Amino acid sequence: MSGIIEKIRRDLKKNADKKTRESGERFFKEKIKLYGVKTATVSKIGKEYFREIRNKSKKDIFDLCEKLWQSGYMEESFVACNWSYSVCKDYKTEDFKIFEKWVGCYVSNWAACDTFCNHTVGEFVEMYPEYLENLKKWTQSKNRWMRRAAAVSLIVPGKRGKFLKDIFQIADALLLDKDDMVQKGYGWMLKVASQAHQKQVFDYIMKNKKRMPRTALRYAIEKMPRELKAKAMAK
């Protein structure tokens, strides 16, 4: 099984180039590890090798994901994210502890956070909504990525109009967060929720705009009509 990881690394190195790596690094304030492989190519490599393991147990697949996460390389984390999401039909409640560990131990930038949480964690909480309470606990973490994860895990469900009450509760908990990555995360969450619940989200923003950081506010109103944006941005 471990041989497949070596094959993936070989293919990533073969497809890496300096220009892509340097371009990718400009998107991050923190230091990141990149081979320098285009996202579409990473996805293609991940799908190609998933065919070799698709009949393995979920535990075996998650063990491989863990090894990929442990490398610290962005491209390997993307393969892990895609693989963990590929077995979503088999998620059980006990998987939450694994997902929580990956966020807490391995996520170290916004791209890995969003790729993993938008899909794997988002799908999990749609299947097991009782775990929304666990996301709310993440808002109190000292780890900035866990706090961002609490919000961005609800991006896909939020687009579908789900969990509005919980979205507002998470936004409440993160409202005064000083970390811009967290502000952008919960602002994004409110933005997607506004597509299904524009009035409720606008009312929430107007109620809180004097305290909400401008970064979060700008993200939250991005999809709203011009006149509502003007009201929200008015001093």
Side-chain angles (χ1 to χ4, degrees), residues 57-69 80 83-85 87-88 90-92 95 98-99 102 120:
S57 70
K58 182 180 66 178
K59 182 186 182 302
D60 285 343
I61 292 170
F62 281 1
D63 286 346
L64 289 171
C65 290
E66 178 113 11
K67 289 179 181 176
L68 291 164
W69 276 113
W83 284 6
S84 63
Y85 183 61
V87 296
C88 63
D90 298 322
Y91 290 167
K92 303 296 181 193
D95 295 330
I98 296 170
F99 301 156
W102 292 351
T120 295

Short mmCIF file of all heavy atoms in Angstrom, two decimals, residues 57-69 80 83-85 87-88 90-92 95 98-99 102 120:
data_model
loop_
_atom_site.label_atom_id
_atom_site.label_comp_id
_atom_site.label_asym_id
_atom_site.label_seq_id
_atom_site.Cartn_x
_atom_site.Cartn_y
_atom_site.Cartn_z
N SER A 57 -10.40 -0.95 1.99
CA SER A 57 -11.29 -0.51 3.07
C SER A 57 -11.13 1.00 3.28
O SER A 57 -10.09 1.59 2.93
CB SER A 57 -10.95 -1.24 4.36
OG SER A 57 -9.70 -0.80 4.86
N LYS A 58 -12.15 1.59 3.88
CA LYS A 58 -12.08 3.03 4.19
C LYS A 58 -10.90 3.30 5.13
O LYS A 58 -10.20 4.30 4.97
CB LYS A 58 -13.38 3.49 4.83
CG LYS A 58 -13.44 4.98 5.14
CD LYS A 58 -14.76 5.36 5.77
CE LYS A 58 -14.93 4.72 7.13
NZ LYS A 58 -16.17 5.10 7.80
N LYS A 59 -10.66 2.40 6.06
CA LYS A 59 -9.53 2.57 6.99
C LYS A 59 -8.21 2.61 6.24
O LYS A 59 -7.35 3.46 6.51
CB LYS A 59 -9.50 1.45 8.03
CG LYS A 59 -8.37 1.62 9.04
CD LYS A 59 -8.24 0.43 9.97
CE LYS A 59 -7.12 0.67 10.98
NZ LYS A 59 -5.80 0.92 10.35
N ASP A 60 -8.04 1.71 5.28
CA ASP A 60 -6.79 1.71 4.50
C ASP A 60 -6.64 3.01 3.72
O ASP A 60 -5.54 3.57 3.64
CB ASP A 60 -6.79 0.53 3.52
CG ASP A 60 -6.52 -0.80 4.21
OD1 ASP A 60 -6.01 -0.80 5.34
OD2 ASP A 60 -6.81 -1.86 3.59
N ILE A 61 -7.74 3.50 3.15
CA ILE A 61 -7.69 4.74 2.38
C ILE A 61 -7.38 5.92 3.30
O ILE A 61 -6.54 6.78 2.98
CB ILE A 61 -9.01 4.95 1.61
CG1 ILE A 61 -9.14 3.89 0.50
CG2 ILE A 61 -9.09 6.37 1.02
CD1 ILE A 61 -10.48 3.84 -0.18
N PHE A 62 -8.01 5.96 4.46
CA PHE A 62 -7.72 7.04 5.42
C PHE A 62 -6.28 6.97 5.92
O PHE A 62 -5.65 8.01 6.18
CB PHE A 62 -8.69 6.98 6.60
CG PHE A 62 -10.06 7.56 6.32
CD1 PHE A 62 -10.38 8.09 5.08
CD2 PHE A 62 -11.04 7.58 7.31
CE1 PHE A 62 -11.63 8.63 4.81
CE2 PHE A 62 -12.30 8.13 7.06
CZ PHE A 62 -12.59 8.65 5.81
N ASP A 63 -5.72 5.76 6.07
CA ASP A 63 -4.32 5.63 6.49
C ASP A 63 -3.39 6.24 5.43
O ASP A 63 -2.40 6.89 5.77
CB ASP A 63 -3.96 4.16 6.71
CG ASP A 63 -4.55 3.59 8.00
OD1 ASP A 63 -5.01 4.39 8.85
OD2 ASP A 63 -4.55 2.36 8.16
N LEU A 64 -3.72 6.02 4.17
CA LEU A 64 -2.92 6.62 3.09
C LEU A 64 -3.08 8.14 3.10
O LEU A 64 -2.10 8.88 2.91
CB LEU A 64 -3.36 6.06 1.74
CG LEU A 64 -2.98 4.59 1.46
CD1 LEU A 64 -3.67 4.10 0.19
CD2 LEU A 64 -1.48 4.42 1.35
N CYS A 65 -4.30 8.62 3.33
CA CYS A 65 -4.54 10.06 3.43
C CYS A 65 -3.68 10.67 4.53
O CYS A 65 -3.09 11.75 4.35
CB CYS A 65 -6.01 10.35 3.71
SG CYS A 65 -7.13 10.00 2.34
N GLU A 66 -3.60 9.98 5.65
CA GLU A 66 -2.81 10.47 6.77
C GLU A 66 -1.34 10.64 6.37
O GLU A 66 -0.70 11.65 6.68
CB GLU A 66 -2.93 9.53 7.97
CG GLU A 66 -2.12 9.93 9.16
CD GLU A 66 -2.95 10.35 10.36
OE1 GLU A 66 -4.17 10.14 10.36
OE2 GLU A 66 -2.36 10.91 11.28
N LYS A 67 -0.81 9.67 5.65
CA LYS A 67 0.59 9.76 5.21
C LYS A 67 0.79 10.93 4.25
O LYS A 67 1.82 11.61 4.30
CB LYS A 67 1.00 8.45 4.54
CG LYS A 67 1.16 7.29 5.52
CD LYS A 67 1.55 6.00 4.81
CE LYS A 67 1.66 4.86 5.82
NZ LYS A 67 1.95 3.57 5.16
N LEU A 68 -0.19 11.16 3.40
CA LEU A 68 -0.10 12.30 2.50
C LEU A 68 -0.15 13.61 3.26
O LEU A 68 0.63 14.54 3.00
CB LEU A 68 -1.24 12.23 1.47
CG LEU A 68 -1.13 11.10 0.43
CD1 LEU A 68 -2.47 10.89 -0.27
CD2 LEU A 68 -0.04 11.39 -0.59
N TRP A 69 -1.05 13.71 4.23
CA TRP A 69 -1.13 14.93 5.05
C TRP A 69 0.18 15.18 5.78
O TRP A 69 0.64 16.32 5.91
CB TRP A 69 -2.25 14.79 6.08
CG TRP A 69 -3.63 15.14 5.63
CD1 TRP A 69 -4.68 14.29 5.49
CD2 TRP A 69 -4.15 16.44 5.32
NE1 TRP A 69 -5.82 14.97 5.09
CE2 TRP A 69 -5.51 16.30 4.98
CE3 TRP A 69 -3.57 17.72 5.28
CZ2 TRP A 69 -6.32 17.37 4.61
CZ3 TRP A 69 -4.37 18.80 4.91
CH2 TRP A 69 -5.72 18.62 4.59
N ALA A 80 -5.07 13.88 -0.66
CA ALA A 80 -5.72 13.34 0.54
C ALA A 80 -7.16 13.84 0.66
O ALA A 80 -8.07 13.08 0.99
CB ALA A 80 -4.92 13.72 1.78
N TRP A 83 -9.32 12.04 -1.92
CA TRP A 83 -9.54 10.64 -1.56
C TRP A 83 -10.53 10.50 -0.41
O TRP A 83 -11.41 9.64 -0.44
CB TRP A 83 -8.22 9.98 -1.20
CG TRP A 83 -7.37 9.64 -2.39
CD1 TRP A 83 -7.60 9.96 -3.70
CD2 TRP A 83 -6.13 8.92 -2.38
NE1 TRP A 83 -6.59 9.49 -4.50
CE2 TRP A 83 -5.67 8.84 -3.72
CE3 TRP A 83 -5.37 8.34 -1.37
CZ2 TRP A 83 -4.48 8.19 -4.05
CZ3 TRP A 83 -4.18 7.69 -1.70
CH2 TRP A 83 -3.75 7.62 -3.03
N SER A 84 -10.39 11.35 0.61
CA SER A 84 -11.31 11.23 1.76
C SER A 84 -12.74 11.57 1.35
O SER A 84 -13.70 10.99 1.86
CB SER A 84 -10.86 12.12 2.92
OG SER A 84 -10.87 13.49 2.58
N TYR A 85 -12.88 12.50 0.40
CA TYR A 85 -14.22 12.83 -0.08
C TYR A 85 -14.78 11.74 -0.99
O TYR A 85 -16.00 11.51 -1.02
CB TYR A 85 -14.19 14.17 -0.82
CG TYR A 85 -15.55 14.62 -1.30
CD1 TYR A 85 -16.58 14.88 -0.40
CD2 TYR A 85 -15.80 14.80 -2.66
CE1 TYR A 85 -17.83 15.29 -0.83
CE2 TYR A 85 -17.05 15.22 -3.10
CZ TYR A 85 -18.06 15.46 -2.18
OH TYR A 85 -19.29 15.86 -2.62
N VAL A 87 -14.84 8.67 -0.61
CA VAL A 87 -15.49 7.58 0.13
C VAL A 87 -16.60 8.11 1.04
O VAL A 87 -16.97 7.47 2.03
CB VAL A 87 -14.47 6.75 0.96
CG1 VAL A 87 -13.49 6.05 0.02
CG2 VAL A 87 -13.71 7.62 1.95
N CYS A 88 -17.16 9.29 0.69
CA CYS A 88 -18.13 9.95 1.56
C CYS A 88 -19.37 9.10 1.84
O CYS A 88 -20.00 9.22 2.90
CB CYS A 88 -18.52 11.32 1.02
SG CYS A 88 -19.36 11.30 -0.58
N ASP A 90 -19.48 6.22 2.69
CA ASP A 90 -19.17 5.29 3.78
C ASP A 90 -18.85 5.98 5.10
O ASP A 90 -18.43 5.33 6.06
CB ASP A 90 -17.97 4.40 3.38
CG ASP A 90 -18.26 3.56 2.16
OD1 ASP A 90 -19.40 3.08 2.03
OD2 ASP A 90 -17.34 3.37 1.33
N TYR A 91 -19.04 7.30 5.17
CA TYR A 91 -18.74 7.99 6.42
C TYR A 91 -19.60 7.46 7.57
O TYR A 91 -20.80 7.23 7.41
CB TYR A 91 -19.01 9.50 6.31
CG TYR A 91 -18.06 10.28 5.42
CD1 TYR A 91 -18.39 11.58 5.03
CD2 TYR A 91 -16.85 9.76 4.96
CE1 TYR A 91 -17.55 12.33 4.21
CE2 TYR A 91 -16.02 10.50 4.15
CZ TYR A 91 -16.37 11.78 3.78
OH TYR A 91 -15.54 12.52 2.97
N LYS A 92 -18.96 7.31 8.72
CA LYS A 92 -19.64 6.95 9.96
C LYS A 92 -19.30 8.02 11.00
O LYS A 92 -18.34 8.76 10.85
CB LYS A 92 -19.18 5.58 10.47
CG LYS A 92 -19.38 4.44 9.47
CD LYS A 92 -20.86 4.21 9.18
CE LYS A 92 -21.04 3.05 8.20
NZ LYS A 92 -22.41 2.98 7.65
N ASP A 95 -15.79 8.79 12.25
CA ASP A 95 -14.82 9.43 11.36
C ASP A 95 -14.55 10.88 11.75
O ASP A 95 -13.52 11.44 11.37
CB ASP A 95 -15.29 9.37 9.90
CG ASP A 95 -15.37 7.95 9.37
OD1 ASP A 95 -14.59 7.09 9.84
OD2 ASP A 95 -16.22 7.71 8.49
N ILE A 98 -11.21 11.58 13.25
CA ILE A 98 -10.11 11.57 12.28
C ILE A 98 -10.04 12.91 11.56
O ILE A 98 -8.97 13.52 11.44
CB ILE A 98 -10.31 10.43 11.27
CG1 ILE A 98 -10.24 9.07 11.98
CG2 ILE A 98 -9.26 10.49 10.15
CD1 ILE A 98 -10.66 7.90 11.11
N PHE A 99 -11.19 13.38 11.10
CA PHE A 99 -11.23 14.66 10.38
C PHE A 99 -10.77 15.81 11.28
O PHE A 99 -10.04 16.71 10.84
CB PHE A 99 -12.63 14.93 9.84
CG PHE A 99 -13.14 13.88 8.89
CD1 PHE A 99 -14.50 13.70 8.69
CD2 PHE A 99 -12.27 13.06 8.18
CE1 PHE A 99 -14.99 12.74 7.81
CE2 PHE A 99 -12.74 12.09 7.30
CZ PHE A 99 -14.11 11.93 7.12
N TRP A 102 -7.03 15.78 11.55
CA TRP A 102 -6.37 16.29 10.34
C TRP A 102 -6.39 17.81 10.31
O TRP A 102 -5.38 18.44 9.97
CB TRP A 102 -7.01 15.71 9.09
CG TRP A 102 -6.78 14.24 8.90
CD1 TRP A 102 -5.93 13.44 9.62
CD2 TRP A 102 -7.40 13.37 7.94
NE1 TRP A 102 -5.99 12.14 9.16
CE2 TRP A 102 -6.89 12.06 8.14
CE3 TRP A 102 -8.35 13.57 6.94
CZ2 TRP A 102 -7.29 10.97 7.37
CZ3 TRP A 102 -8.75 12.49 6.18
CH2 TRP A 102 -8.22 11.20 6.38
N THR A 120 -15.12 17.32 2.41
CA THR A 120 -15.17 16.20 3.35
C THR A 120 -15.97 16.54 4.60
O THR A 120 -16.93 15.85 4.95
CB THR A 120 -13.75 15.75 3.72
OG1 THR A 120 -13.10 15.23 2.55
CG2 THR A 120 -13.78 14.67 4.78
#
